[in-house]
Amino acid sequence: MSEHLKIKLSIADRVYPLTIKPQQEEGLRKAAKEIEVMIKKFEQSYAVRDKQDVLAMCALQFASKAIQQDLDGSGESSEALEQLKNLELLVKSQLS
């Protein structure tokens, strides 16, 4: 059986406990940090207070970036897709 790590990620003032493979940790932590930066940017630029709205705007930003990279033929689309999947899980848990 493969080894798993238990980590906690904080996104949009909520803590998400996750059980992950060790090789996923760096990517998840970077994604969470990028989401937090984007949240602050949207809150400052658009005076948005509802976290659900901000998370939806972040999801749109990540999705458009992933799709544009795919359209441009960039080799980084698999990494962006992985981040988008992680973001989707976090948004779904926020909406639950």
Side-chain angles (χ1 to χ4, degrees):
M1 181 178 267
S2 64
E3 187 177 321
H4 286 85
L5 294 175
K6 292 186 179 196
I7 66 170
K8 292 180 182 180
L9 295 177
S10 177
I11 297 176
D13 300 326
R14 287 197 181 187
V15 176
Y16 297 92
L18 301 170
T19 302
I20 61 166
K21 294 178 183 176
Q23 62 268 28
Q24 294 176 302
E25 183 177 13
E26 182 180 2
L28 285 169
R29 291 198 185 277
K30 284 182 178 181
K33 185 175 182 174
E34 195 171 327
I35 292 166
E36 282 296 318
V37 168
M38 195 176 291
I39 286 171
K40 286 179 184 175
K41 182 182 103 180
F42 282 131
E43 286 177 335
Q44 292 171 352
S45 298
Y46 301 107
V48 178
R49 297 286 180 247
D50 186 357
K51 292 293 184 188
Q52 183 174 338
D53 290 340
V54 174
L55 287 170
M57 293 166 71
C58 289
L60 179 62
Q61 188 81 14
F62 278 111
S64 66
K65 180 180 176 182
I67 290 169
Q68 190 60 49
Q69 286 177 342
D70 189 43
L71 292 173
D72 293 343
S74 174
E76 297 176 325
S77 62
S78 62
E79 180 180 301
L81 184 58
E82 180 71 30
Q83 290 179 348
L84 185 58
K85 287 178 185 178
N86 293 333
L87 178 60
E88 180 183 17
L89 292 173
L90 292 170
V91 169
K92 282 181 181 179
S93 66
Q94 177 79 16
L95 296 175
S96 308

